Amino acid sequence: MSYRTYQKRTAALAFAAALAGSAVLMAAPAAEADVVDVNYQCKTPIGDKSAVSPIDIKSVKSGSGYKLTMSFQKGVSSSPVELGKGAMNPSAVIKLGGADSGTVAVSGPANSAAIPADTPIKINDLSGTYTPKKTGKVTFTAGVLTIKALGTTTTCTPGNNPKPSLTLDVTAGSGGGSGTSGSTQSGTDTGSRLPQTGPEDSAIALGTLGGTVLLAGAAGALWLTRRNQAVRR
């Protein structure tokens, strides 16, 4: 084997190792999400009602925390009278489990169109921010939903002990933070961007690791080249 061929083969092996390292990391999921049926038992001004709605919770990495978005795929409860535009304001809590504990408060915009009487109330996406206070796998489960409309309050509690809609592998942020209460966001911008599951900076992390492996391979090739030259002398 010629010296030039040996150099080319060593560089190719180093590059292949970098790609393989990135592929292994990409195969390891940082988040697990499921759509979960939640059987809400609602206390309304006109009596008790119940409704089942599939709940989806997604996350987007944001600084040292995560923006959570809670979506309702079916309406819950109803009103005996029409609710005009902007008359209904929803909020909820998401229960934490696993490595962390407590709740995260989420809220959303008022209804953008009138809701006819005796029609299931479709809840807009609710959002809030979660800042980890513990490191490990954390679960996120739908909690109590609150609907305020026309001066009344309807409280809906999950009655079927639903399983988590989201699991994240998190790292506690520097300075701690309040992972149990989570700051509340208005949620008015949820329609401007599709929610994503898992840290959005994962591609950057993978690129950095891949570059590190590549540099390590190049350094090894340089060492072998110099050693080869020394032997030839």
Side-chain angles (χ1 to χ4, degrees), residues 58 69 127 153 169 174 181 231:
K58 288 186 170 63
T69 301
S127 64
T153 299
D169 195 352
S174 59
S181 60
V231 171

Side-chain angles (χ1 to χ4, degrees), residues 16 24 27 30 37 142 163 184 195 229:
V24 169
D37 287 340
K163 68 178 184 178
T184 301
Q229 288 177 341

Side-chain angles (χ1 to χ4, degrees), residues 11-58:
L13 288 173
F15 182 70
L19 292 178
S22 296
V24 169
L25 280 183
M26 290 180 69
E32 299 174 11
D34 289 306
V35 177
V36 177
D37 287 340
V38 178
N39 185 359
Y40 281 107
Q41 304 297 314
C42 301
K43 300 290 186 180
T44 79
I46 58 172
D48 295 348
K49 294 181 178 295
S50 64
V52 176
S53 178
I55 300 296
D56 180 30
I57 300 176
K58 288 186 170 63

Side-chain angles (χ1 to χ4, degrees), residues 73-109:
Q73 297 188 8
K74 288 185 179 179
V76 298
S77 190
S78 62
S79 171
V81 297
E82 179 179 297
L83 298 178
K85 178 181 178 181
M88 188 267 299
N89 293 279
S91 63
V93 294
I94 296 173
K95 296 190 299 182
L96 305 177
D100 213 340
S101 61
T103 60
V104 177
V106 291
S107 63

Side-chain angles (χ1 to χ4, degrees), residues 114-138:
I115 301 174
D118 300 318
T119 300
I121 297 174
K122 177 65 172 69
I123 306 297
N124 290 321
D125 287 354
L126 309 180
S127 64
T129 301
Y130 163 66
T131 302
K133 65 173 184 177
K134 299 289 181 63
T135 296
K137 288 188 179 295
V138 178

Side-chain angles (χ1 to χ4, degrees), residues 8-20 210 213-221:
K8 290 181 178 180
R9 178 170 294 182
T10 302
L13 288 173
F15 182 70
L19 292 178
V213 175
L214 181 58
L215 289 175

